[in-house]
């Protein structure tokens, strides 16, 4: 998790990850989108590769990079403890509470109605 967090700490690496969401890209295509040198982009790609966030495979003379979202799962799970539930989660929790309350009331009133029907019959 620390390696993943360290890898995404840099804004250039975060931008590379966003770019790779669209599919595989060569190192040259990635470097062409930045105003920094190709060796600097190459170093960023190496950090992402070593952290497991991207995979590289040779396709002829080109190296294609693809996103590997697996390492994000542990980090996302850890970060989730700090996130406040969204408005929808609060509403769904309230709905669940109301459903349970209604079911309890129906069981109680249903049992009472059954008892009354039996005594009058």
């Amino acid at each position: 998790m620390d390696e993943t967090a360290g890898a995404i700490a840099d804004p250039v690496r975060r931008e590379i990850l966003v770019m790779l969401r669209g599919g595989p890209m060569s190192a040259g295509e990635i470097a062409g989108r930045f105003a920094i040198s190709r060796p600097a982009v190459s170093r960023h790609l190496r950090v992402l590769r070593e952290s497991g966030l991207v995979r590289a495979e040779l396709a002829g003379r080109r190296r294609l990079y693809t996103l590997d979202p697996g390492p994000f799962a542990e980090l996302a799970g850890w970060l989730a403890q700090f996130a406040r539930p969204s408005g929808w989660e609060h509403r769904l929790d309230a709905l669940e509470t109301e459903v349970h309350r209604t079911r309890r009331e129906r069981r109680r009133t249903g049992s009472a109605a059954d008892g009354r029907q039996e005594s009058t019959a």
Side-chain angles (χ1 to χ4, degrees):
M1 181 174 69
D2 291 340
E3 197 169 346
T4 302
I8 64 172
D10 186 275
V12 170
R13 291 194 287 266
R14 289 193 306 267
E15 183 60 30
I16 291 170
L17 292 170
V18 170
M19 290 167 36
L20 291 175
R21 282 188 340 188
M25 294 179 73
S26 70
E29 290 172 317
I30 295 168
R33 296 195 181 181
F34 291 98
I36 59 176
S37 69
R38 285 182 181 257
V41 171
S42 183
R43 285 190 293 274
H44 286 297
L45 288 168
R46 186 183 74 237
V47 170
L48 291 171
R49 200 173 54 246
E50 289 174 354
S51 70
L53 293 171
V54 300
R55 285 177 273 144
E57 61 181 67
L58 290 174
R61 292 177 26 188
R62 296 174 12 158
R63 185 179 298 255
L64 290 178
Y65 289 87
T66 56
L67 183 65
D68 184 355
F72 287 111
E74 183 182 4
L75 181 59
W78 185 80
L79 289 170
Q81 69 181 322
F82 301 105
R84 291 189 176 159
S86 69
W88 279 108
E89 289 173 6
H90 285 300
R91 291 180 185 131
L92 291 174
D93 288 345
L95 176 61
E96 181 181 26
T97 301
E98 185 62 23
V99 167
H100 288 294
R101 185 188 63 76
T102 303
R103 284 182 182 163
R104 274 194 312 269
E105 287 178 5
R106 282 186 181 164
R107 276 188 224 123
R108 274 189 249 142
T109 58
S111 297
D114 289 344
R116 276 186 263 134
Q117 289 175 353
E118 290 174 9
S119 62
T120 59

